[in-house]
Amino acid sequence: MSDSSRPSSHPEFWNVRYERDEPLFGAEPNAFVEEQAHRLPPESAVVELGAGEGCTPAWLARAHGHHATAVDFSETALATAQEWAMAEDLSLNTIQADVRTWQPSRQWDAALVTFLQLLPDERPRLYRLLKTLVRPGGWMFAEWLRPAHLTGDYDRLGPSRMDRMVPVDEVRRAFAGESHVCVEPVDVHLHEGSHLNGKAAVVRATVQVGAP
């Protein structure tokens, strides 16, 4: 596995952070997913990759009655997600897996990715995984920090390495040819807990996969 020397590539690093700073990325849903949720039919099956403590899939289950799944390699994060789901009787399942090697045996109506930090050589597999995870006609919503975040007038939040930034053109190429593709650079003020709070340069993708 590439990047094996970096602590943030291992679940132990994140277990410690989730234990220390709970909830690490806040308890509110991702704002972009919240904007796009109207596209999903009632009681959709939705999966988030790198879901952490699962606040976004939990919100989808709570607010819209969707059947949500949170995938992450941090045991600690998923334990919190399960506690939230049980406390509110939400339709939320958890899967402990590394998305860089995970091979799911089913498909969902929609897939989410928000600020998942992967290296350039790891991201192509992620893009392929997203397309195979989603049933034909389903949706993919994704948001990452883009390279301008480290060179422009933005707040210092998130990863500090350029190889963790995701270029707009890379995302457009990865999903070219799908039924509906909207990939845009956007400047936003993030409110994703104390660690992702401030002015940021992001790339947002709304993709309808395959043909309905």
Side-chain angles (χ1 to χ4, degrees):
M1 180 64 63
S2 62
D3 194 35
S4 60
S5 65
R6 292 192 186 181
S8 61
S9 289
H10 298 276
E12 293 81 6
F13 172 87
W14 292 102
N15 285 337
V16 171
R17 294 195 68 185
Y18 282 116
E19 288 173 355
R20 184 184 63 204
D21 300 320
E22 186 177 330
L24 183 59
F25 294 107
E28 298 301 317
N30 173 267
F32 175 57
V33 173
E34 193 172 5
E35 289 176 6
Q36 298 299 316
H38 67 92
R39 299 181 184 273
L40 303 181
E43 298 186 352
S44 290
V46 185
V47 62
E48 181 172 15
L49 307 185
E53 292 162 311
C55 56
T56 298
W59 175 81
L60 287 168
R62 181 189 310 113
H64 295 279
H66 296 316
H67 306 290
T69 300
V71 180
D72 203 279
F73 66 1
S74 168
E75 180 181 7
T76 302
L78 293 180
T80 299
Q82 290 173 335
E83 288 175 6
W84 290 352
M86 291 179 64
E88 299 185 58
D89 194 25
L90 301 177
S91 180
L92 175 64
N93 296 319
T94 60
I95 298 175
Q96 186 178 359
D98 188 330
V99 301
R100 296 170 296 183
T101 56
W102 183 44
Q103 297 182 351
S105 58
R106 58 161 294 185
Q107 291 183 307
W108 283 261
D109 299 311
L112 320 173
V113 176
T114 61
F115 303 109
L116 177 60
Q117 303 174 21
L118 296 183
L119 289 170
D121 66 331
E122 297 168 340
R123 294 196 295 263
R125 186 186 188 279
L126 173 68
Y127 302 143
R128 293 193 298 271
L129 175 62
L130 287 165
K131 288 186 282 189
T132 59
L133 276 177
V134 179
R135 296 187 181 99
W139 292 91
M140 188 276 293
F141 309 132
E143 183 172 28
W144 295 277
L145 293 168
R146 69 182 198 271
H149 181 73
L150 294 183
T151 59
D153 184 21
Y154 302 97
D155 292 324
R156 296 280 71 86
L157 52 87
S160 59
R161 297 286 296 263
M162 187 61 76
D163 58 10
R164 299 287 187 176
M165 305 291 109
V166 179
V168 175
D169 288 345
E170 176 183 300
V171 182
R172 286 175 176 161
R173 288 194 302 270
F175 296 99
E178 300 298 335
S179 298
H180 170 92
V181 180
C182 180
V183 180
E184 297 180 313
V186 183
D187 291 352
V188 297
H189 195 292
L190 297 175
H191 300 278
E192 306 248 346
S194 59
H195 296 281
L196 284 177
N197 191 329
K199 184 180 178 183
V202 304
V203 52
R204 288 175 166 178
T206 302
V207 178
Q208 189 174 30
V209 177

